[in-house]
């Protein structure tokens, strides 16, 4: 495996590591604009996943 | 009901939709008697179009009817459990992580060998007709309730638009039948090209609608007020905690934590196993473009998250509440939950704009239904009929696929008319359990070609058996109403996870423990 592939794999795994333990974010506070933490935290992860996966896709794509 | 200018806007845009559908056949013209031209748009779609096409698989009636309905009405209609259905957000976040690893590889292998379906791939890789036919049958069955669900969504839009008029049912049924005849006609002539153009229109309209509703909501108190109302108002369910506040709405009740992660994890694995998703990816021009455009799809999920939260917003919006109260909260037929998104549109936007947004949701059911029927048709022709009639010409293959896509749409339509809509949503969840059992053969098959084909067949059948058995057990072998969670020492767990675990265990033990010689023998055969 190339170093780039390993970095890409780590980037892809990160969201799974943060989202699978639901207990860690199943809380109401701190709220954001009146929205409980449980709801906005997962919305934030959508954005983070987009960023992480885009970097990973570029690393996986470049075949040298 | 929707005022006349709204209905005019709706109908005018429907005409544009039909035009795009037929025009698609002339666009980037190819030989429509060739299956890869008709079903894969000649494998020439660029990044942007694939984004919309795969996005079209994401924004289906599942997204704007089922998920908001669940968030609004809760699990088993229990107060305070609507948060369970927010699983759709982590599901969408994670599914693309899996897709960027698996799908470009799937594209490359398929392009090299001229595969059009996942069953083609399985047949080529494991040299097993039995396994390929099983994968095809599973794919066709799993798509049926998914198409039926699209129709339920379209019914909800019509019910919302026509609420207050006398005989809504007949008008709605006639409208649905007309829409499906039009859809079947342009899918037949234009294939995936027509669907792709309409997918772009659909997504643009849906996004416009979501943004407009959010703008109105945010300017009038926003999410904070809605969450406050939803969490402090009294339980609306007679008999179920009646009079008590749904105290756990802001978070997920602890008992549902295992149900939550198991559902989003299995759904994330399942999405790209659906024949329509694979069909979308294979229509792309270039695998690296697929990878990059897919990696950006989580951003697309923000709209899905917003729609899910409409289920909370609807509790806090007085006009929406007044509208929804006309319908029953639970039961069969069109319930309040199914109408959450149409109700929010009707009560926040001016009527002409509401007509535009509702059309977005209406064709948001039609477009995925077309893609799904195309992918079912390909499986039927290439992996089932062709196995029995090997001398089928390419032209004959395409003709059968075109007609099969018409037939599958009407089977789903009949299904909705015969079976209650609530039932269709439950069956869709069963569809997830069924399709995910093809994961070892299709996804793992891309990376581990040495797996024993017999282990894959037995694993798939065992997974299907365990999944269906547990669902039936949970529903006392009667009508599926809650269906998809099994009680166990750790609370509730999505049955799809248990069934896939059994399937994977069989494949792993059989393929790894058996003598290497035999595995090599299979490889050489």
């Amino acid at each position: 495996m190339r170093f780039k592939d390993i970095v890409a794999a780590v980037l892809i795994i990160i969201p799974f590591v943060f989202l699978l333990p639901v207990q860690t974010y199943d809380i109401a506070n701190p709220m954001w604009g009146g929205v409980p933490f449980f709801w906005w935290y997962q919305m934030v992860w959508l954005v983070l996943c987009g960023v992480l996966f885009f970097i990973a896709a570029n690393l996986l794509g470049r075949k040298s | 009901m929707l005022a006349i200018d709204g209905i005019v806007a709706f109908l005018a845009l429907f005409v544009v939709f039909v035009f795009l559908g037929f025009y698609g056949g002339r666009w980037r013209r190819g030989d429509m008697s060739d299956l890869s031209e008709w079903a894969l748009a000649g494998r020439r779609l660029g990044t942007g179009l694939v984004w919309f096409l795969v996005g079209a698989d994401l924004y289906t009636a599942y997204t704007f009817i089922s998920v908001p309905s669940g968030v609004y009405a809760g699990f088993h209609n229990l107060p305070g459990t609507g948060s369970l259905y927010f699983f759709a957000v982590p599901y969408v976040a994670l599914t693309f992580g899996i897709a960027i690893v698996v799908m470009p590889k799937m594209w490359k292998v398929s392009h090299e060998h001229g595969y059009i379906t996942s069953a083609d791939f399985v047949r080529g890789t494991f040299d097993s007709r039995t396994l390929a036919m099983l994968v095809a049958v599973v794919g066709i069955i799993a798509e049926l309730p998914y198409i039926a669900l699209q129709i339920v969504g379209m019914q909800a839009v019509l019910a919302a638009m026509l609420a207050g008029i006398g005989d809504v049912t007949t008008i709605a049924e006639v409208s649905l039948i007309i829409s499906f005849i039009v859809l079947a006609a342009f899918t037949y002539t234009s294939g995936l090209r027509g669907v792709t153009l309409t997918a772009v229109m659909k997504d643009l309209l849906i996004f416009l609608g979501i943004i407009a509703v959010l703008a109105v909501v945010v300017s009038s108190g926003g999410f904070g007020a809605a969450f406050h109302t939803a969490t402090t108002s009294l339980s609306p369910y007679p008999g179920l905690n009646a009079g008590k506040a749904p105290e756990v709405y802001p978070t997920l009740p602890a008992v549902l934590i295992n149900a939550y992660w198991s559902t989003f994890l299995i759904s994330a694995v399942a999405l790209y196993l659906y024949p329509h998703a694979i069909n979308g990816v294979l229509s792309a021009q270039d695998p690296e473009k697929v990878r990059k455009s897919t990696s950006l799809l989580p951003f697309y999920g923000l709209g899905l998250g917003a729609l899910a939260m409409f289920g909370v917003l609807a509790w806090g919006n007085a006009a929406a509440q007044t509208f929804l109260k006309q319908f029953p909260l639970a039961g069969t037929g069109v319930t309040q939950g199914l109408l959450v998104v149409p109700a929010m549109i009707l009560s926040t936007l001016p009527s002409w704009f509401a007509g535009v947004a509702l059309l977005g949701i209406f064709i948001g059911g039609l477009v995925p239904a077309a893609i799904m029927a195309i992918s079912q048709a390909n499986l039927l022709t290439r992996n089932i009929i062709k196995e029995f009639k090997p001398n089928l010409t390419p032209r004959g293959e395409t003709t059968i696929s075109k007609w099969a896509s018409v037939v599958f749409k009407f089977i789903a339509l009949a299904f909705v008319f015969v079976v209650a809509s609530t039932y269709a949503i439950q069956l869709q969840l069963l569809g997830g359990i069924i399709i995910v059992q093809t994961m070892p053969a299709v996804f793992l098959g891309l990376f581990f070609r040495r797996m024993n084909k017999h282990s894959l067949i037995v694993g798939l059948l065992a997974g299907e058996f365990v999944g269906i058995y547990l669902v039936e057990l949970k529903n006392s072998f009667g009508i599926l109403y809650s269906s998809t969670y099994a009680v166990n020492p750790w609370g509730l767990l999505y049955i799809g996870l248990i069934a896939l675990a059994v399937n994977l265990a069989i494949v792993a033990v059989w393929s790894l423990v058996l003598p290497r010689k035999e595995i090599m023998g299979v490889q050489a055969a």
Side-chain angles (χ1 to χ4, degrees):
Chain A
M1 252 182 130
R2 301 173 309 162
F3 178 68
K4 275 179 183 172
D5 290 340
I6 294 165
V7 175
V10 171
L11 293 178
I12 292 168
I13 291 166
I14 288 172
F16 285 84
V17 172
F18 279 85
L19 285 167
L20 278 171
V22 180
Q23 293 89 335
T24 58
Y25 56 88
D26 189 18
I27 45 177
N29 291 305
M31 293 203 183
W32 184 5
V35 177
F37 185 79
F38 177 76
W39 301 72
W40 69 255
Y41 177 78
Q42 295 180 78
M43 292 291 271
V44 169
W45 268 106
L46 279 174
V47 177
L48 294 176
C49 282
V51 174
L52 292 171
F53 294 164
F54 186 68
I55 300 170
N58 281 285
L59 289 172
L60 287 172
R62 253 174 252 152
K63 298 282 175 213
S64 48
Chain B
M1 71 168 273
L2 188 60
I4 193 73
D5 53 347
I7 294 189
V8 169
F10 185 95
L11 291 176
L13 282 169
F14 189 74
V15 171
V16 175
F17 168 77
V18 175
F19 170 77
L20 282 176
F22 282 107
Y23 173 74
R26 298 167 165 273
W27 172 70
R28 298 189 183 174
R29 192 186 272 278
D31 176 12
M32 282 302 194
S33 65
D34 182 89
L35 192 58
S36 71
E37 286 292 336
W38 179 77
L40 297 179
R43 304 184 203 253
R44 283 205 301 268
L45 300 181
T47 317
L49 288 170
V50 169
W51 210 70
F52 275 109
L53 193 60
V54 178
D57 299 339
L58 198 59
Y59 285 91
T60 72
Y62 183 68
T63 317
F64 38 67
I65 303 292
S66 295
V67 170
S69 163
V71 170
Y72 179 86
F75 177 56
H76 286 221
N77 297 329
L78 281 173
T81 51
S83 42
L84 174 66
Y85 290 87
F86 207 57
F87 83 81
V89 168
Y91 144 53
V92 165
L94 298 178
T95 193
F96 302 114
I98 299 171
I100 60 171
V101 176
V102 174
M103 295 322 277
K105 178 111 178 159
M106 171 75 80
W107 189 97
K108 282 174 203 160
V109 176
S110 301
H111 198 73
E112 204 175 300
H113 296 96
Y115 300 149
I116 289 182
T117 66
S118 52
D120 286 350
F121 162 75
V122 168
R123 192 177 186 326
T125 306
F126 298 105
D127 190 30
S128 167
R129 291 168 65 176
T130 315
L131 186 59
M133 281 170 78
L134 275 174
V135 169
V137 169
V138 166
I140 291 171
I141 293 175
E143 291 284 13
L144 268 181
Y146 216 152
I147 300 181
L149 186 64
Q150 308 307 316
I151 301 166
V152 172
M154 288 154 60
Q155 262 182 336
V157 171
L158 293 170
M161 272 173 70
L162 304 171
I165 303 179
D167 188 9
V168 178
T169 328
T170 315
I171 305 177
E173 286 188 357
V174 170
S175 315
L176 273 179
I177 292 170
I178 295 172
S179 311
F180 261 66
I181 291 173
V182 170
L183 180 74
F186 82 61
T187 314
Y188 183 93
T189 55
S190 312
L192 198 71
R193 287 183 171 80
V195 176
T196 307
L197 289 189
T198 54
V200 176
M201 172 180 177
K202 155 200 171 259
D203 284 3
L204 293 178
L205 289 183
I206 288 175
F207 263 86
L208 193 67
I210 296 174
I211 292 168
V213 172
L214 287 179
V216 174
V217 166
V218 168
S219 64
S220 62
F223 284 99
F227 268 97
H228 186 74
T229 317
T231 51
T232 52
S233 59
L234 299 179
S235 165
Y237 296 98
L240 288 168
N241 289 13
K244 277 196 199 160
E247 66 280 4
V248 282
Y249 217 106
T251 57
L252 187 70
V255 68
L256 293 177
I257 284 180
N258 287 324
Y260 194 81
W261 69 259
S262 56
T263 312
F264 76 64
L265 183 64
I266 292 298
S267 303
V269 174
L271 180 66
Y272 277 88
L273 288 167
Y274 273 106
H276 63 266
I278 294 173
N279 203 79
V281 169
L282 294 188
S283 62
Q285 199 175 29
D286 170 340
E288 290 311 326
K289 284 180 182 164
V290 171
R291 202 192 309 265
K292 275 171 203 153
S293 69
T294 305
S295 74
L296 292 170
L297 279 168
F299 292 114
Y300 217 52
L302 287 169
L304 179 145
L307 282 167
M309 286 207 216
F310 277 22
V312 180
L313 291 174
W315 284 116
N317 185 297
Q321 279 298 301
T322 314
F323 178 82
L324 288 168
K325 293 264 162 64
Q326 303 171 66
F327 298 90
L329 189 60
T332 55
V334 179
T335 57
Q336 288 186 20
L338 294 178
L339 295 171
V340 162
V341 174
M344 286 302 291
I345 289 173
L346 282 170
S347 41
T348 51
L349 304 179
S351 59
W352 67 270
F353 199 1
V356 172
L358 286 173
L359 180 94
I361 295 187
F362 188 76
I363 64 173
L366 276 173
V367 174
I371 308 176
M372 289 166 189
I374 289 177
S375 63
Q376 280 180 311
N378 294 341
L379 287 169
L380 178 74
T381 319
R382 288 183 65 92
N383 307 108
I384 298 175
I385 294 179
K386 217 178 170 185
E387 290 294 348
F388 297 105
K389 275 193 73 162
N391 53 355
L392 203 60
T393 61
R395 184 179 281 273
E397 190 177 290
T398 311
T399 309
I400 296 176
S401 283
K402 285 177 173 178
W403 279 110
S405 82
V406 173
V407 172
F408 280 124
K409 282 188 205 81
F410 286 94
I411 291 177
L413 192 60
F415 187 84
V416 174
F417 286 156
V418 175
V419 189
S421 46
T422 337
Y423 195 51
I425 295 174
Q426 295 309 330
L427 279 180
Q428 205 276 325
L429 291 169
L430 183 63
I433 298 175
I434 291 173
I435 196 70
V436 83
Q437 305 310 325
T438 61
M439 184 272 233
V442 178
F443 282 180
L444 296 184
L446 283 167
F447 301 94
F448 307 100
R449 315 188 95 217
R450 286 187 172 192
M451 283 184 297
N452 180 306
K453 64 179 175 183
H454 302 291
S455 78
L456 290 168
I457 294 170
V458 174
L460 192 149
L461 290 173
E464 300 294 2
F465 176 78
V466 169
I468 294 167
Y469 178 77
L470 287 176
V471 170
E472 288 296 332
L473 189 68
K474 191 70 205 310
N475 294 282
S476 319
F477 298 89
I479 287 178
L480 310 184
Y481 85 103
S482 69
S483 82
T484 43
Y485 296 94
V487 184
N488 61 71
W490 304 279
L492 295 162
L493 210 55
Y494 183 50
I495 289 170
L497 181 78
I498 303 168
L500 182 62
V502 171
N503 182 345
L504 282 172
I506 291 172
V507 174
V509 171
W510 195 329
S511 291
L512 294 173
V513 173
L514 272 190
R516 199 169 178 77
K517 200 171 67 181
E518 188 179 329
I519 298 173
M520 298 304 275
V522 168
Q523 196 56 15

